[in-house]
Amino acid sequence: MTNPSVAQVVRQLLMGALIMGLAACSTAPPKGLEPVNGFDATEYAGIWYEIARLDNRFERGLESITAQYTLQADGSVKVENRGYNPEKDEWRQADGKARFRGERDIGSLEVSFFGPFYAGYHVVALAPDYSWALVAGGTDLEFFWILAREPVLPDDVKVRLLEKTKSLGVDPQRLIWVRHLARPPA
């Protein structure tokens, strides 16, 4: 048996910290926010581009971030999050599983990337055509994402989403805008 590399040890430590952080997260929606009703998982499935987010340690420094949601036969959702780290010139991917917290027509799920530890994933606003979504998590709104089907939002949509973000209790000044490379490395 060989000794683990420094990178493997660091990766294991980071995963352990993330597990501890997720274990502390509630799967209930953040205080004062309601998940959307009339949610259609089939329409939501597919690739989403992360447009903006509140800072979080597991995405720090990444760009060209996408999330792909694939419906599974057992009613769960396969989750593949992917982002590019330009400092290290490498792609990072986290694979997980999501399940509905209750009724499938309410945009309230819990997501796990590490075994039995789940965190809340709540779609709190959604375009009628599923072209953008606002997603929140954490008891006190520690997590927030603006997602879209395209890597760039039209200016008028961006303005509306920033107004909606503010009305949900998120300071738009705290958002980190994700850069999407025109031609990301393979």
Side-chain angles (χ1 to χ4, degrees):
M1 179 177 245
T2 62
N3 290 331
S5 70
V6 172
Q8 290 170 322
V9 171
V10 169
R11 190 173 310 137
Q12 289 172 345
L13 289 172
L14 289 173
M15 292 296 191
L18 184 56
I19 288 169
M20 296 305 288
L22 287 175
C25 292
S26 167
T27 62
K31 296 173 190 165
L33 296 183
E34 293 292 326
V36 297
N37 285 304
F39 183 78
D40 182 342
T42 302
E43 287 291 319
Y44 198 80
I47 294 179
W48 289 88
Y49 292 87
E50 184 175 292
I51 303 299
R53 69 172 180 276
L54 288 178
D55 188 30
N56 63 67
R57 67 182 168 269
F58 47 89
E59 291 181 299
R60 199 165 286 144
L62 298 181
E63 31 185 72
S64 296
I65 300 170
T66 59
Q68 182 165 350
Y69 304 105
T70 307
L71 300 177
Q72 302 297 293
D74 66 359
S76 68
V77 180
K78 178 180 176 185
V79 180
E80 295 175 68
N81 289 345
R82 191 168 193 250
Y84 180 69
N85 183 330
E87 264 185 39
K88 296 183 178 180
D89 189 28
E90 69 181 13
W91 284 96
R92 289 180 40 198
Q93 183 165 319
D95 297 329
K97 178 181 181 175
R99 60 187 184 201
F100 284 88
R101 292 186 67 245
E103 299 299 318
R104 291 182 55 87
D105 66 341
I106 297 174
S108 184
L109 298 98
E110 48 191 23
V111 180
S112 175
F113 291 94
F114 307 104
F117 303 105
Y118 282 84
Y121 180 100
H122 310 282
V123 180
V124 295
L126 183 62
D129 64 356
Y130 288 70
S131 60
W132 57 259
L134 302 181
V135 178
T139 305
D140 294 316
L141 196 54
E142 294 93 348
F143 302 103
F144 187 82
W145 295 272
I146 297 175
L147 305 177
R149 294 297 189 169
E150 299 293 329
V152 178
L153 286 172
D155 288 339
D156 62 321
V157 174
K158 186 175 175 180
V159 167
R160 283 196 330 257
L161 292 181
L162 288 174
E163 290 171 4
K164 181 67 174 171
T165 295
K166 191 172 185 178
S167 76
L168 294 171
V170 175
D171 179 359
Q173 298 294 325
R174 292 182 52 216
L175 292 174
I176 294 171
W177 296 90
V178 178
R179 181 175 160 224
H180 286 275
L181 304 172
R183 301 191 79 191

